[in-house]
């Protein structure tokens, strides 16, 4: 097979299911080709995992010249992340009584 799967990283006890769910996205039918996930809970890192599909070096297709292997030190593009963060902040402000969904800002 030309396409291989690699993963690595660490999870704190009790967070193993997060790693399992993350890895499932790379199985046949999954959505991801390469990704990283790092989660902090109350300032403590509890999940730090990465995974990717890599092209076997013996295959002549699929690899770009000078393409770097994807791993824990790879830089990751993030698109449209502020939409999610903004919605979370608004929800927190509503919960704390500073905003209301039915009031004009």
């Amino acid at each position: 097979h030309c396409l291989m799967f690699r993963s690595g990283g660490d999870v704190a006890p009790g967070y193993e299911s997060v790693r399992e769910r993350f890895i499932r996205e790379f199985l046949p039918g999954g959505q991801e080709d390469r990704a990283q996930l790092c989660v902090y809970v109350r300032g403590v890192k509890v999940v730090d995992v990465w995974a990717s599909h890599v092209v076997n070096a013996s295959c002549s297709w699929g690899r770009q010249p000078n393409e770097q292997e994807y791993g824990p030190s790879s830089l990751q593009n993030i698109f449209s992340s502020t939409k999610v963060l903004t919605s979370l902040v608004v929800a927190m402000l509503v919960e704390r009584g500073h905003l209301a969904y039915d009031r004009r800002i």
Side-chain angles (χ1 to χ4, degrees):
H1 294 284
C2 284
L3 200 57
M4 301 182 309
F5 175 74
R6 289 188 55 223
S7 69
D10 300 303
V11 295
Y15 291 88
E16 296 85 0
S17 63
V18 176
R19 180 201 327 251
E20 292 166 11
R21 179 66 180 105
F22 179 76
I23 297 300
R24 262 187 269 152
E25 289 302 315
F26 294 88
L27 297 176
Q31 299 291 320
E32 299 299 331
D33 179 51
R34 51 178 74 179
Q36 299 176 35
L37 175 66
C38 188
V39 178
Y40 285 80
V41 175
R42 292 185 169 85
V44 176
K45 185 173 21 174
V46 295
V47 176
D48 188 7
V49 293
W50 61 271
S52 71
H53 288 113
V54 294
V55 177
N56 187 328
S58 65
C59 296
S60 60
W61 60 270
R63 186 157 273 231
Q64 300 297 320
N66 300 320
E67 182 179 352
Q68 297 292 317
E69 183 93 7
Y70 189 83
S73 299
S74 299
L75 295 179
Q76 179 70 46
N77 289 330
I78 300 174
F79 300 100
S80 299
S81 61
T82 57
K83 295 173 191 170
V84 173
L85 294 175
T86 301
S87 66
L88 290 172
V89 169
V90 168
M92 289 172 59
L93 290 171
V94 168
E95 181 180 61
R96 294 176 183 174
H98 299 292
L99 288 177
Y101 291 119
D102 59 352
R103 279 196 331 231
R104 297 189 108 201
I105 297 177

